[in-house]
Amino acid sequence: MTETTPVHLVSLGCARNDVDSEELAARLEAGGFRLVDEAENAEAVLVNTCGFIEAAKLDSINTLMAAADLKEQGSARAVVAVGCMAERYGTELAEELPEADAVLGFDSYADIDERLRAILDGARPAAHVPRDRRTLLPLSPVDRQAAAQQQAAPPKESPEVTGSIANTGARVLRRRLGSGPMAPLKLASGCDRRCAFCAIPAFRGAYLSRRPEEIVAEARWLVDHGVREVFLVSENSSSYGKDLGDLRSLEKLLGELSAVEGLDWIRVSYLQPAETRPDLVKAICSTDKVVPYFDLSFQHASNPVLRRMRRFGDPDSFLGLIDQVRGLAPTAGIRSNVILGFPGETEQDVQVLSDFLSAARLDAIGVFGYSDEEGTEAAGMGDKVDPDEVEARRAAVADLAAELVDQRAEERIGESVRVLVEEIDEEGRLLGRAAHQGPEVDGCSELVGSSAAVGTFVSGTVVASEGVDLIVEVTR
């Protein structure tokens, strides 16, 4: 094997996984591997899997099988599973998919280059044995930073592993796998919440914030690599700083990021409504470069359902939060996800949710049907809703949500917007996103009357809508 052994990395799932993939890419490149864009040109294929919902798990398995086919054809020598599904299922995944040469958990990331080199040399490491990662850090959030520092492994040197803040020594461990003007930037890992339907805390671990200087250094590095917008991601962004001894850490961080030269937009994802305090709302709405965008995880609106979910809220409190946002930023983007068919949900609960969505005027709504996730509290609950009824409720609310977000898009006709140009599609249309549109899931803005380059910003007026998408006539 030469120092330029080609490896292909497939990133599945959420933006948090994309950041992990770029860390893996940096470690592999620093360890002497060469990243290639096509699996057919690689000697090793790493699949960063998603293990959140059934559709994502199936996608992960199909991707691993496709990589195994390349191995059968002789173009690849090794197939390795990493990521959430590998961490969550480990040995079970290895038994079900013997075609994979290794199933590695998160603890393998620090020396992934050495592990991959050994696999290519014929080693077959034991599959990762899953465990509850919440036990790996102290129970008290304020004790976690020191413990995490002791566990951390220093990165190898690499031309791509660069970036620092003066006088801090903060370093960046990342290698971009794309070239778009937006990039996710991880705030934290793990989650301390105990939502009854969610398995993520068990395999992602307890909540651990990244140090502010590390985040700012990475933002500067991303700007140097063509990024104009950073999308702050974590399992729960509103908890940022709880282990740093300052609950206003996120507000302060937004101010520090706003000072990064060359960065134009800062967007925060995944806020828990119960933790979205007034000062944070004000900071998002008023800090320079931070777009007024609120990804609020409501999940439902019926108080009895939310209590069984081990969450908090009701229509009045949620609508009060939305009113607070729009009082400060009338054109703010607000999105959410909801779950239908949770154990014990009644038709009256569904009506409460439907009424709330109608009143909320959200810009984007993800609608999901409940299904049992092994290892969760909800999986052992009684009073289950029949699967056919779950799907019927999901479909009905999804239809309502589609109608509501279309109406919200229509309300924006005549609005002045600033748009980040992201691509020219196959039809030659210039596409981008306005400030209220999050990456990939919130629709896009088609620009007319402009030939602006990808990565630039243009201003215009919304002249029409097509579903959730907007048509924007560029003025400058």
Side-chain angles (χ1 to χ4, degrees):
M1 187 180 73
T2 69
E3 286 191 348
T4 58
T5 300
V7 57
H8 177 68
L9 201 159
V10 183
S11 187
L12 303 174
C14 65
R16 299 183 294 278
N17 239 25
D18 291 340
V19 178
D20 288 349
S21 292
E22 295 196 348
E23 176 188 331
L24 287 166
R27 291 187 182 277
L28 289 168
E29 196 166 70
F33 289 88
R34 174 169 53 90
L35 277 295
V36 295
D37 294 332
E38 302 297 333
E40 292 80 2
N41 299 328
E43 291 189 35
V45 179
L46 262 72
V47 179
N48 189 359
T49 59
C50 178
F52 183 39
I53 58 176
E54 287 304 317
K57 297 174 195 173
L58 181 60
D59 188 26
S60 295
I61 291 173
N62 288 341
T63 303
L64 286 164
M65 292 295 294
D69 288 342
L70 292 176
K71 183 181 170 186
E72 286 292 320
Q73 297 164 16
S75 61
R77 293 167 46 206
V79 175
V80 178
V82 296
C84 290
M85 192 173 184
E87 174 68 36
R88 184 177 180 185
Y89 295 102
T91 49
E92 180 182 345
L93 178 61
E95 291 170 1
E96 300 249 349
L97 199 67
E99 296 88 348
D101 297 285
V103 175
L104 306 178
F106 297 147
D107 293 333
S108 300
Y109 287 13
D111 58 352
I112 189 66
D113 58 318
E114 296 174 8
R115 291 175 183 268
L116 183 56
R117 185 171 290 109
I119 292 166
L120 285 166
D121 286 341
R124 290 297 175 265
H128 167 69
V129 178
R131 55 180 169 170
D132 189 338
R133 294 191 68 87
R134 291 172 292 191
T135 64
L136 301 183
L137 289 173
L139 184 63
S140 172
V142 295
D143 295 329
R144 292 175 189 168
Q145 291 289 325
Q149 283 293 107
Q150 293 178 349
Q151 298 173 14
K156 293 183 175 68
E157 295 292 340
S158 165
E160 285 292 314
V161 184
T162 58
S164 65
I165 285 183
N167 303 321
T168 69
R171 304 181 63 199
V172 174
L173 181 61
R174 188 160 182 172
R175 195 268 198 194
R176 290 207 75 193
L177 297 175
S179 58
M182 184 284 302
L185 176 54
K186 185 181 289 187
L187 283 177
S189 59
C191 184
D192 287 340
R193 299 189 71 87
R194 294 295 182 266
C195 301
F197 55 82
C198 185
I200 288 176
F203 63 83
R204 274 290 185 180
Y207 196 88
L208 183 69
S209 302
R210 295 182 67 197
R211 305 293 301 186
E213 59 269 22
E214 295 176 5
I215 297 170
V216 175
E218 190 164 323
R220 289 180 173 171
W221 182 90
L222 287 168
V223 168
D224 289 342
H225 288 73
V227 170
R228 306 293 299 276
E229 174 190 355
V230 293
F231 188 35
L232 303 180
V233 299
S234 73
E235 279 75 20
N236 178 8
S237 297
S238 44
S239 279
Y240 179 77
K242 64 187 291 185
D243 51 330
L244 298 175
D246 186 355
L247 289 178
R248 288 179 51 84
S249 292
L250 182 53
E251 292 96 308
K252 294 176 181 178
L253 175 64
L254 293 177
E256 293 179 34
L257 287 170
S258 182
V260 173
E261 186 175 351
L263 184 61
D264 292 272
W265 274 1
I266 302 158
R267 187 182 304 271
V268 184
S269 75
Y270 212 78
L271 301 169
Q272 290 287 344
E275 297 179 10
T276 305
R277 53 204 175 271
D279 284 348
L280 178 56
V281 173
K282 183 178 179 180
I284 292 175
C285 291
S286 63
T287 304
D288 185 35
K289 298 184 181 180
V290 179
V291 297
Y293 175 83
F294 291 81
D295 177 11
L296 295 167
S297 173
F298 292 126
Q299 303 299 357
H300 212 283
S302 169
N303 180 258
V305 174
L306 287 166
R307 287 203 307 269
R308 286 194 295 274
M309 287 180 168
R310 293 196 178 275
R311 297 178 66 84
F312 305 94
D314 53 47
D316 288 342
S317 64
F318 291 164
L319 291 173
L321 176 57
I322 292 170
D323 286 344
Q324 182 188 356
V325 168
R326 290 184 174 141
L328 293 171
T331 61
I334 307 177
R335 78 166 330 272
S336 192
N337 295 323
V338 297
I339 298 172
L340 275 298
F342 190 79
E345 182 190 66
T346 66
E347 292 185 5
Q348 181 180 356
D349 294 323
V350 177
Q351 188 61 52
V352 169
L353 175 59
S354 300
D355 291 344
F356 162 71
L357 294 176
S358 297
R361 296 170 44 243
L362 303 178
D363 291 278
I365 307 168
V367 182
F368 299 90
Y370 171 82
S371 62
D372 287 338
E373 283 290 323
E374 55 265 55
T376 65
E377 180 183 355
M381 288 182 176
D383 204 11
K384 293 286 173 63
V385 181
D386 180 82
D388 290 339
E389 178 63 18
V390 171
E391 174 54 24
R393 294 179 184 181
R394 185 210 64 79
V397 174
D399 288 344
L400 172 64
E403 180 181 348
L404 293 171
V405 297
D406 289 358
Q407 291 173 2
R408 179 63 180 143
E410 289 178 8
E411 291 177 4
R412 291 190 180 273
I413 295 174
E415 195 173 291
S416 296
V417 293
R418 187 174 182 227
V419 177
L420 173 59
V421 182
E422 291 198 298
E423 67 170 314
I424 301 173
D425 71 4
E426 295 178 353
E427 300 175 11
R429 299 181 303 167
L430 197 62
L431 302 178
R433 285 180 295 106
H436 71 276
Q437 295 173 317
E440 298 183 358
V441 294
D442 292 351
C444 67
S445 294
E446 179 183 347
L447 302 166
V448 295
S450 174
S451 57
V454 170
T456 60
F457 285 86
V458 297
S459 297
T461 302
V462 179
V463 295
S465 63
E466 294 181 357
V468 72
D469 299 327
L470 304 181
I471 309 298
V472 176
E473 187 174 287
V474 175
T475 54
R476 59 181 174 87

